Amino acid sequence: MLAKDRVSSSIATSDFISRDLSWMKFNYRVLDQVKKPSRKIFEKLKFLAITSSNLDEFFMIRVGSLYNYIDYGKERVDYSGLREKPFRKKLLQEAQQFFQEQNRYYTENLVPQFEQNHFSIVKDLARLSDKQRKQLEEYFNLTIYPMLTPMTYDSYHAFPTLMNKLLVFGVVTREPDTKKDNKKLSFVQIPQNLPRFYEFDDDDYVTFVPIEEVVRTYIHRLFRNITIQSVNLFRITRNGDFTLDESDDLESSFVEEVRRKLKTRKTGRVVRIETESGYSSWMMRQLINRWNIDKDNLFEVEPGGLLDFTSLWQIVKHHDFRNRVPKTPAPVPPVTYPEMGNEDIFEVLKHRDILLHHPYNDIEPLLDLIEKSAEDPNVLAIKLTIYRLASESRITAALLKAAENGKHVSVLFELKARFDEENNMREAQRLHKAGCFVIYGVSSIKTHTKLLLIVRKDGKQVTRYVHMSSGNYNEQTAKLYTDLGLLSTNEVYAHDVSEFFNVITGHSSPTDYQYLITAPRDMREQLISLIRQEAENAKKELPSGIAIKINSLEDREIISELYSASQMGVPIQLIVRGICCIRPGRPGLSENITVRSIVGDFLEHSRIYYFHNNDEPKVYSGSADVMVRSFDRRLESLFLAADPTVKKQAMNIISYNLRDNMNTYLMQEDGSYQLIKRGKSAPFDIHKEFFRVTLDELESVKLF
């Protein structure tokens, strides 16, 4: 059997699907949004930029993590059964195929649509008018040229540190009028603070000129009296996966350790080179040898393509096209709070729980609660966990105001929130200087839970207001991500959340929670217990069923329990947006398991766990996915939907997800996905239908 056939056989026979190969399938589903005929060109460019950003992060973290094993000789066996080096080859081959599909669709299908949509990307400056070329030359002379620094690599010059994800020219030169081979390699890095495109805005038409083409045209001015043999554009991706040395519990040491590790992202080992075609083979040999990679790590853009599709955001967000990107409908009031904004939120929450379903419901009630708490003289304390914040966050502003007004403010900033570390450190220091009690994470565990506790004096009584969520305290992503957040004054929630904050901010280990399931304490065990109860009910021929909506499903123990429950006859409906390592529909293993993935206008981010429980459903929501890291290396929480209406709302969300026939992919036994074909059925698009949910609909909702 050939090595390639052995790899395919191993992947196909495993009961578990590779996490990383599953992620590649997810990015293909995002790429499908680029290909959707109903989408306008600017939507397509947006989704193409997202696929490119996704792929960058994938190489920095997942491929970077794999190289941490390879480089240090550590053993790793993928769920597919492959060891480190064979899996590296398979993974890079899959990434190559995706990269080529991206670029092929861009050049063959998108670029021809530019002209009719009143813009173009002009790479050949000869196509510009004399006036435009003169303007570009002035821009180069006055703005770009002073910023450029040619960096030569030879026996007298050390190899320069080239920045992660920036465009770089590799320039091969030699002395003129000499016969000996005296080639030299220099690098010209395009500054990151320049816009990717220079714009000519002429009436109703915009010409975008890539900044690299301006530099290429005048790059000879950096190499005077020298023969330039080749000018090669490329972009590198570095390993961004790092672990922290947290042996020292001192806060200041931890913050400095985070800062130090962040710098390694700028110098981490190279895991990918993207390059334009026609590059100098001599130059590429130097780079490949220097960075200890091979041709599998080399991703080549064909003529007419574009390096780094994330730059397309500049076009999507251009002011001339603002009205040509479909607008999201205005948020609607929560079904249990139709009078939103007309009543005092403090009083409303004394009488009912409010489940916010973003982005269909505005985040405003939550922001209103926090901002009023900052000003209300009766509010005594505010406690909050922060994983990712919006830029110019209203929440940070409210917490600063609260501290200024003398309230006790406790904030846990997770400094290990990937790619938000620097922003979180900066915001945490602002709050610390204002007098807030700031915690920088909890030892080696990442705090991913989303919890808010407000303590307010009501005469002689004290009322505790809680918010528990699947999403971040971020008013920007609340418009783009689907998330659930529960506002309540229920004393059981308040007690549990108070106890959990004592774990986070102090040294406490509560004996029990009534409405919360927490990690790393016992979340995996509790979920396993709930799954086994469904299997036991099925065995007794009692009603059973499991429906779970999450972002990622990877934990082997939970997957094994779901397999066992399926074999006992439990119907299992899984809605998993991204990574999914379970193999549905395999005879004798998982015939009763169905997996859907929904990819569309909004990023599916909410988590809901439903257990039929012999017609007495238990429903949870919260911050945790079914991942090893969620159960073992993170502070996570799931909250029970105790209020009957809230429970019905959560069940209705799952019901709608199962009815969607516009954005839904069915996962096949081999790990591939097929878009559901609507046929003659009426369209049901959850990203539209959730704007129309009524209280009456909840009464009849039933799963299984």
Side-chain angles (χ1 to χ4, degrees):
M1 188 183 289
L2 296 175
K4 183 178 180 181
D5 294 332
R6 286 198 297 272
V7 167
S8 299
S9 176
S10 171
I11 290 172
T13 57
S14 172
D15 286 344
F16 300 88
I17 289 172
S18 163
R19 167 181 174 164
D20 295 332
L21 296 180
S22 175
W23 182 91
M24 290 300 305
K25 300 293 186 191
F26 162 68
N27 216 26
Y28 271 110
R29 298 195 292 280
V30 181
L31 187 60
D32 278 353
Q33 304 305 305
V34 183
K35 301 176 181 179
K36 228 175 181 177
S38 60
R39 293 202 183 279
K40 298 182 184 300
I41 184 66
F42 300 103
E43 287 182 283
K44 293 182 175 191
L45 294 178
K46 177 188 77 172
F47 279 105
L48 188 60
I50 290 170
T51 65
S52 189
S53 177
N54 287 347
L55 199 59
D56 283 350
E57 184 172 337
F58 180 76
F59 269 91
M60 288 179 66
I61 304 306
R62 297 306 306 163
V63 178
S65 173
L66 180 58
Y67 268 100
N68 288 340
Y69 285 87
I70 293 170
D71 290 344
Y72 296 100
K74 296 190 292 183
E75 292 187 359
R76 175 186 186 271
V77 180
D78 183 71
Y79 274 12
S80 63
L82 297 178
R83 293 291 299 272
E84 314 85 38
K85 291 185 178 179
F87 184 69
R88 179 200 81 99
K89 193 161 192 70
K90 174 65 177 173
L91 192 60
L92 291 177
Q93 286 172 350
E94 292 283 333
Q96 284 278 4
Q97 289 176 19
F98 180 84
F99 183 81
Q100 296 306 327
E101 177 67 16
Q102 262 187 322
N103 283 276
R104 184 166 51 250
Y105 197 84
Y106 170 78
T107 54
E108 294 178 6
N109 298 85
L110 299 186
V111 172
Q113 296 181 48
F114 290 176
E115 198 75 30
Q116 67 199 56
N117 284 279
H118 307 285
F119 74 95
S120 59
I121 296 177
V122 175
K123 300 177 74 173
D124 180 3
L125 270 57
R127 289 175 50 196
L128 301 174
S129 68
D130 291 343
K131 180 180 178 182
Q132 288 172 326
R133 286 198 298 273
K134 182 173 176 53
Q135 193 172 326
L136 275 178
E137 186 174 10
E138 288 179 1
Y139 179 62
F140 177 83
N141 289 334
L142 297 176
T143 303
I144 302 176
Y145 181 77
M147 300 173 70
L148 299 180
T149 303
M151 300 173 287
T152 297
Y153 168 55
D154 59 18
S155 56
Y156 296 99
H157 300 82
F159 195 92
T161 300
L162 302 179
M163 299 296 286
N164 186 37
K165 300 193 298 182
L166 291 191
L167 296 177
V168 181
F169 278 112
V171 184
V172 180
T173 58
R174 67 175 180 82
E175 298 284 347
D177 304 322
T178 178
K179 293 183 179 180
K180 66 178 183 178
D181 185 13
N182 61 349
K183 286 186 285 195
K184 285 192 178 183
L185 177 58
S186 300
F187 301 99
V188 178
Q189 197 161 254
I190 297 180
Q192 61 185 333
N193 53 353
L194 287 174
R196 175 63 186 275
F197 300 106
Y198 188 89
E199 300 173 3
F200 292 106
D201 203 339
D202 184 15
D203 295 329
D204 193 31
Y205 193 94
V206 185
T207 302
F208 296 94
V209 181
I211 198 70
E212 65 268 22
E213 299 307 328
V214 181
V215 175
R216 193 196 307 267
T217 300
Y218 299 106
I219 202 166
H220 61 276
R221 297 185 184 179
L222 298 171
F223 300 92
R224 297 186 185 277
N225 302 315
I226 293 295
T227 299
I228 296 177
Q229 285 196 331
S230 67
V231 178
N232 317 271
L233 185 70
F234 66 92
R235 178 178 185 259
I236 61 172
T237 314
R238 293 184 179 274
N239 181 0
D241 186 52
F242 61 76
T243 56
L244 295 168
D245 177 10
E246 297 172 83
S247 56
D248 191 339
D249 290 332
L250 291 176
E251 179 183 279
S252 59
S253 299
F254 175 65
V255 174
E256 288 307 313
E257 173 72 359
V258 174
R259 285 201 181 99
R260 187 177 69 81
K261 286 291 187 180
L262 285 176
K263 292 178 182 177
T264 67
R265 281 200 184 134
K266 299 176 181 178
T267 58
R269 75 109 69 231
V270 173
V271 294
R272 175 178 61 160
I273 304 175
E274 297 166 271
T275 181
E276 61 187 2
S277 60
Y279 55 82
S280 161
S281 57
W282 178 82
M283 177 202 74
M284 195 55 67
R285 283 197 302 273
Q286 312 296 312
L287 299 184
I288 285 175
N289 292 335
R290 175 77 192 184
W291 290 323
N292 190 27
I293 54 178
D294 58 32
K295 286 290 184 73
D296 289 336
N297 302 81
L298 185 60
F299 290 70
E300 186 176 339
V301 174
E302 294 300 321
L306 185 72
L307 268 181
D308 184 16
F309 289 132
T310 64
S311 62
L312 295 172
W313 281 111
Q314 184 179 341
I315 298 174
V316 174
K317 294 182 177 182
H318 191 276
H319 57 82
D320 280 12
F321 309 134
R322 195 173 300 148
N323 295 326
R324 301 180 65 184
V325 177
K327 288 185 169 51
T328 302
V332 296
V335 292
T336 57
Y337 188 27
E339 67 280 20
M340 187 178 79
N342 298 327
E343 292 187 8
D344 183 351
I345 188 71
F346 289 118
E347 291 303 313
V348 171
L349 289 174
K350 287 180 187 177
H351 303 289
R352 68 187 112 153
D353 289 355
I354 299 173
L355 186 70
L356 298 174
H357 187 196
H358 309 303
Y360 315 104
N361 304 145
D362 206 334
I363 196 174
E364 199 60 38
L366 174 62
L367 298 175
D368 183 38
L369 179 66
I370 297 173
E371 288 172 342
K372 283 184 175 175
S373 297
E375 301 281 4
D376 190 326
N378 293 319
V379 168
L380 306 175
I382 303 173
K383 300 183 180 184
L384 182 67
T385 61
I386 291 177
Y387 194 72
R388 300 189 196 278
L389 280 172
S391 57
E392 300 180 13
S393 168
R394 285 171 60 183
I395 290 174
T396 301
L399 296 175
L400 289 168
K401 178 62 71 174
E404 184 183 305
N405 289 336
K407 303 179 191 310
H408 172 79
V409 179
S410 297
V411 186
L412 186 145
F413 268 94
E414 182 45 76
L415 297 192
K416 300 187 289 289
R418 189 172 286 143
F419 304 122
D420 277 87
E421 300 97 341
E422 292 181 87
N423 183 59
N424 283 3
M425 274 193 286
R426 183 172 55 251
E427 294 298 282
Q429 288 167 353
R430 286 179 65 202
L431 291 172
H432 181 71
K433 288 177 182 177
C436 301
F437 177 49
V438 175
I439 308 101
Y440 298 103
V442 179
S443 68
S444 60
I445 299 169
K446 185 179 285 189
T447 304
H448 190 250
T449 185
K450 282 80 178 182
L451 296 175
L452 165 69
L453 175 68
I454 295 168
V455 182
R456 186 173 186 260
K457 182 175 64 177
D458 280 319
K460 295 182 180 180
Q461 301 291 322
V462 170
T463 303
R464 289 180 289 186
Y465 298 79
V466 298
H467 177 259
M468 302 163 290
S469 178
S470 67
N472 296 304
Y473 291 104
N474 185 320
E475 55 267 36
Q476 291 171 342
T477 56
K479 298 174 182 177
L480 306 170
Y481 295 5
T482 73
D483 271 307
L484 291 179
L486 181 65
L487 288 164
S488 178
T489 56
N490 183 307
E491 266 301 301
V492 180
Y493 289 133
H495 173 269
D496 284 358
V497 172
S498 293
E499 288 290 302
F500 198 40
F501 268 108
N502 290 339
V503 172
I504 292 171
T505 63
H507 189 205
S508 177
S509 182
T511 56
D512 198 17
Y513 296 109
Q514 286 183 258
Y515 284 174
L516 286 187
I517 299 176
T518 65
R521 177 181 164 164
D522 61 359
M523 185 176 287
R524 181 188 282 113
E525 291 73 18
Q526 293 235 32
L527 290 175
I528 286 174
S529 177
L530 289 163
I531 294 169
R532 286 179 176 172
Q533 184 59 58
E534 295 304 311
E536 187 64 27
N537 287 346
K539 184 179 179 181
K540 295 176 181 177
E541 298 186 349
L542 297 172
S544 65
I546 297 170
I548 299 175
K549 180 186 183 301
I550 47 179
N551 300 314
S552 304
L553 172 60
E554 171 251 5
D555 184 78
R556 188 186 290 262
E557 290 184 53
I558 295 289
I559 292 173
S560 296
E561 292 293 336
L562 291 171
Y563 284 154
S564 297
S566 169
Q567 290 160 29
M568 294 298 291
V570 178
I572 300 170
Q573 296 279 3
L574 304 176
I575 305 154
V576 187
R577 183 197 77 221
I579 296 162
C580 185
C581 299
I582 204 166
R583 199 180 282 280
R586 172 164 282 188
L589 180 73
S590 55
E591 293 103 325
N592 293 310
I593 297 176
T594 301
V595 178
R596 285 170 166 80
S597 175
I598 295 179
V599 180
D601 288 342
F602 302 125
L603 181 87
E604 291 294 329
H605 194 253
S606 56
R607 292 98 169 177
I608 305 172
Y609 296 77
Y610 170 93
F611 302 92
H612 194 67
N613 195 38
N614 192 19
D615 286 330
E616 295 290 337
K618 289 186 177 181
V619 185
Y620 292 85
S621 183
S623 61
D625 288 310
V626 180
M627 304 281 283
V628 172
R629 69 186 187 192
S630 299
F631 298 147
D632 297 338
R633 302 192 298 274
R634 286 187 170 189
L635 271 174
E636 302 270 19
S637 63
L638 297 174
F639 61 87
L640 178 70
D643 178 85
T645 303
V646 168
K647 182 190 293 188
K648 289 282 190 179
Q649 281 182 269
M651 290 168 59
N652 190 60
I653 291 170
I654 288 182
S655 175
Y656 269 36
N657 275 259
L658 296 176
R659 289 171 61 188
D660 180 275
N661 57 19
M662 300 297 288
N663 312 284
T664 299
Y665 294 79
L666 275 181
M667 187 181 182
Q668 308 301 301
E669 189 264 348
D670 64 358
S672 64
Y673 288 78
Q674 290 183 4
L675 185 66
I676 282 183
K677 293 183 178 178
R678 178 165 61 86
K680 295 181 180 179
S681 303
F684 193 90
D685 182 343
I686 58 168
H687 295 152
K688 294 181 173 62
E689 295 297 330
F690 276 126
F691 287 103
R692 299 193 274 263
V693 177
T694 65
L695 198 56
D696 291 340
E697 284 182 77
L698 304 183
E699 294 304 315
S700 59
V701 67
K702 185 176 175 62
L703 298 176
F704 302 103

